[in-house]
Amino acid sequence: MHVVVLGTGMIGTTVVSELAKFTEIDLITAVDVRQESIDKCLEISNSPKVIGKVASLETKEDIADVLIGVDVVVACLPHSLSLVAIKAAIESKCHLVDLVGSMFKEKVELHEAARDAGVIIVPGCGVAPGITNFLAAQGIEMLEEAEEVVMICGGIPRHPVPPLWYQVVFRLESVLGLYTKPAIAVENGELVELAPLSGLEKMTFPQPVGNCEAVITDAHSTAYILKDRVKNLYEKTVRYPGHWGKMNVLGELGFLDNNPVTVAGVTITPRAFAEQVLGPKMLGASHEDVTVLRVEASGLKDGISTKFTWEMVDLYDHERKITSMAKTTAIPAAIMAKWIACKKIIETGVVPIESLIVKERFQPFMGELNNLGVQIDFKEEIIL
């Protein structure tokens, strides 16, 4: 089986390294626009099954060129190239696992085209979206009547420093999207659009994390797929206390806007300026990070008010020498690519992970996550 990985940043390189461990995968091609990035990926993966290829990834035709004769592709690309990669995969009749969960409405419009091509497209297959999605779906599956599901996740520094108590663990472009994009959620069984940074809530996680806060962010595909099976559904993103208030002020003042302004004869968007200013403030005190996750599903089970909770506190991986965010994002995508290659997944079309990893597939997938170092605890409790 031949798998291509598009993009060899930290997450893409981790996907390549994990795929190389699977005996079911014969060949992995790591594709990037920069030779130095590929060289680093090959050094880290250190496997004879991995080869590198320099290629442009800007257009559908560029991507389609590298997918000829490929079984599965894992897209570790910026949000702006997600839809392009999906269209290229469909045209090339190649299965695709995508880390990006945004633009779900546009992606699902390609469902019939993907089915006609005989391929499956799995959008949002990381940690959040990804793991949180199928935990939410499984929680609903385990309840007779689902009242509320809350998906909570965040990548935060192991050693936070002022003024923002945060460090970038993936693309800053994606981070700032959280602060400005309206959030799709489910309330009373209906899709709703909520203002950015709304629903501020204090919460705690086990040590070494402690006190945190979270706001509602976009629930992506889960809102559309699960809205008819649960009364209320939200996604929330975690930061350390004080962070969201500071970013809210910047948003209110317009520093995160995309409308161009002209300063001293130079036209620039406030967000582009903010990225340059905020980037150095989000480097953190070290490269160590923590990924926290909590999914709560509450409702009736056997006529009794019950809540299921899945929780993860994952630290920087010293053995792999990668961030927790890279590990917990890459490993679900690598497992999904393997399952598709081995025909454990046989559906076709645009199918989000919450429609795939439920019922009989749930425990085996969770088992593989655990075996690869992504440990998620579970508890069931009666709500009094």
Side-chain angles (χ1 to χ4, degrees), residues 104-126:
F104 179 69
K105 289 177 67 177
E106 291 83 351
K107 292 172 182 177
V108 81
E109 289 176 358
L110 299 171
H111 177 71
E112 291 302 326
R115 289 191 66 180
D116 290 344
V119 299
I120 186 169
I121 307 296
V122 185
C125 189

Side-chain angles (χ1 to χ4, degrees), residues 10-11 155-157 166-171 175 289 323 325-326:
M10 183 178 293
I11 293 176
I156 53 180
Y166 179 71
Q167 69 191 48
V168 175
V169 289
F170 55 105
R171 295 178 183 275
V175 173
D289 68 328
T323 64
M325 181 57 67

Side-chain angles (χ1 to χ4, degrees), residues 44-221:
I44 292 172
S45 59
N46 190 29
S47 170
K49 295 196 292 186
V50 180
I51 61 174
K53 181 180 179 66
V54 176
S56 172
L57 300 172
E58 289 298 314
T59 68
K60 181 181 71 172
E61 291 72 26
D62 291 336
I63 296 174
D65 283 344
V66 302
L67 299 185
I68 298 172
V70 173
D71 297 296
V72 185
V73 57
V74 182
C76 307
L77 297 171
H79 284 233
S80 58
L81 291 175
S82 175
L83 201 59
V84 177
I86 289 173
K87 291 178 179 178
I90 293 172
E91 183 176 294
S92 304
K93 296 186 177 181
C94 177
H95 304 296
L96 181 140
V97 178
D98 190 10
L99 297 180
V100 176
S102 60
M103 299 181 290
F104 179 69
K105 289 177 67 177
E106 291 83 351
K107 292 172 182 177
V108 81
E109 289 176 358
L110 299 171
H111 177 71
E112 291 302 326
R115 289 191 66 180
D116 290 344
V119 299
I120 186 169
I121 307 296
V122 185
C125 189
V127 59
I131 296 175
T132 53
N133 298 39
F134 74 75
L135 291 177
Q138 182 66 15
I140 292 172
E141 188 68 31
M142 293 163 59
L143 292 165
E144 297 165 357
E145 184 178 325
E147 177 69 20
E148 182 173 86
V149 169
V150 183
M151 302 171 291
I152 302 165
C153 190
I156 53 180
R158 174 68 178 85
H159 306 288
V161 295
L164 295 174
W165 312 103
Y166 179 71
Q167 69 191 48
V168 175
V169 289
F170 55 105
R171 295 178 183 275
L172 184 55
E173 165 202 8
S174 301
V175 173
L176 293 185
L178 291 173
Y179 303 98
T180 56
K181 183 181 178 181
I184 299 298
V186 178
E187 292 185 344
N188 296 313
E190 300 290 338
L191 289 176
V192 295
E193 186 176 281
L194 304 176
L197 309 184
S198 58
L200 182 67
E201 176 187 358
K202 294 181 180 180
M203 60 185 61
T204 61
F205 282 90
Q207 292 300 321
V209 177
N211 293 330
C212 293
E213 61 185 23
V215 297
I216 295 171
T217 47
D218 197 355
H220 299 293
S221 58

Side-chain angles (χ1 to χ4, degrees), residues 4 10 28 30 160 208 222 234 263:
V4 161
M10 183 178 293
I28 303 109
T222 52
Y234 305 95
V263 181

Side-chain angles (χ1 to χ4, degrees), residues 157 159-167 240-243 246 278-285:
H159 306 288
V161 295
L164 295 174
W165 312 103
Y166 179 71
Q167 69 191 48
Y240 284 115
H243 176 86
K246 292 177 180 180
L278 294 176
K281 302 291 185 183
M282 294 186 180
L283 293 178

Side-chain angles (χ1 to χ4, degrees), residues 299-318:
L300 293 180
K301 177 189 174 184
D302 298 328
I304 300 171
S305 293
T306 304
K307 180 166 73 173
F308 304 126
T309 302
W310 287 272
E311 185 171 88
M312 177 189 78
V313 177
D314 188 85
L315 306 182
Y316 178 88
D317 193 313
H318 289 276

